[in-house]
Amino acid sequence: LSIVQKLVAVYKLWHEFLPHIPKTLRYTLGEKIDNCFIDTLELIFVAQYAKQEQKLPILQRANTKFDTLKFFTQLLWETRGISTNQYGALGEKLSEAGKMLGGWLRKIMIQSQRAEQ
């Protein structure tokens, strides 16, 4: 699976949980997490089609947004907005996507460094 497909799968899982989040958290943290998912997906999608020299800054922004997504997901769990099982399921899939994103980012950084030499 590509990273986009992986993140879409995680986003679909997230959307199964979203309606069951308490209203006090659904429209704050839940909405923030949803926006982070969408922003991350958009950046990764754009990076796939960007020119080689444009990929690095886009992927760095995607990585930052992804880290923000993970942070707010953890915060939602800590405030009991989602169960431990839900958090575990999301966390496992987010971890897989994070490894894919990190690997892609490292590859682009190495290519960028070689191009500068």
Side-chain angles (χ1 to χ4, degrees):
L1 289 176
S2 75
I3 188 168
V4 171
Q5 291 170 321
K6 178 67 75 177
L7 275 175
V8 166
V10 182
Y11 186 67
K12 288 178 181 178
L13 178 62
W14 161 250
H15 259 267
E16 290 177 21
F17 301 155
L18 189 58
H20 306 288
I21 295 172
K23 282 187 181 184
T24 56
L25 294 172
R26 187 180 322 150
Y27 299 108
T28 54
L29 281 175
E31 193 171 306
K32 182 70 173 174
I33 291 167
D34 204 64
N35 289 333
C36 285
F37 261 116
I38 292 167
D39 292 346
T40 303
L41 276 164
E42 180 181 13
L43 287 165
I44 289 172
F45 184 80
V46 168
Q48 286 184 322
Y49 297 101
K51 293 180 182 178
Q52 191 66 28
E53 63 274 4
Q54 296 171 332
K55 286 184 190 277
L56 183 58
I58 295 169
L59 287 174
Q60 288 171 328
R61 286 181 34 222
N63 193 52
T64 300
K65 190 59 78 166
F66 186 75
D67 286 343
T68 304
L69 165 66
K70 292 187 302 182
F71 169 75
F72 283 120
T73 302
Q74 180 180 346
L75 186 57
L76 182 65
W77 171 69
E78 289 176 2
T79 57
R80 295 191 171 95
I82 56 175
S83 71
T84 299
N85 288 340
Q86 290 170 324
Y87 179 66
L90 275 175
E92 180 181 332
K93 294 187 183 306
L94 285 172
S95 177
E96 293 170 12
K99 288 177 185 176
M100 294 172 81
L101 177 57
W104 189 14
L105 186 55
R106 278 188 296 282
K107 177 183 170 189
I108 296 300
M109 288 175 79
I110 290 168
Q111 290 173 349
S112 176
Q113 289 171 347
R114 286 183 184 154
E116 290 175 0
Q117 293 176 352

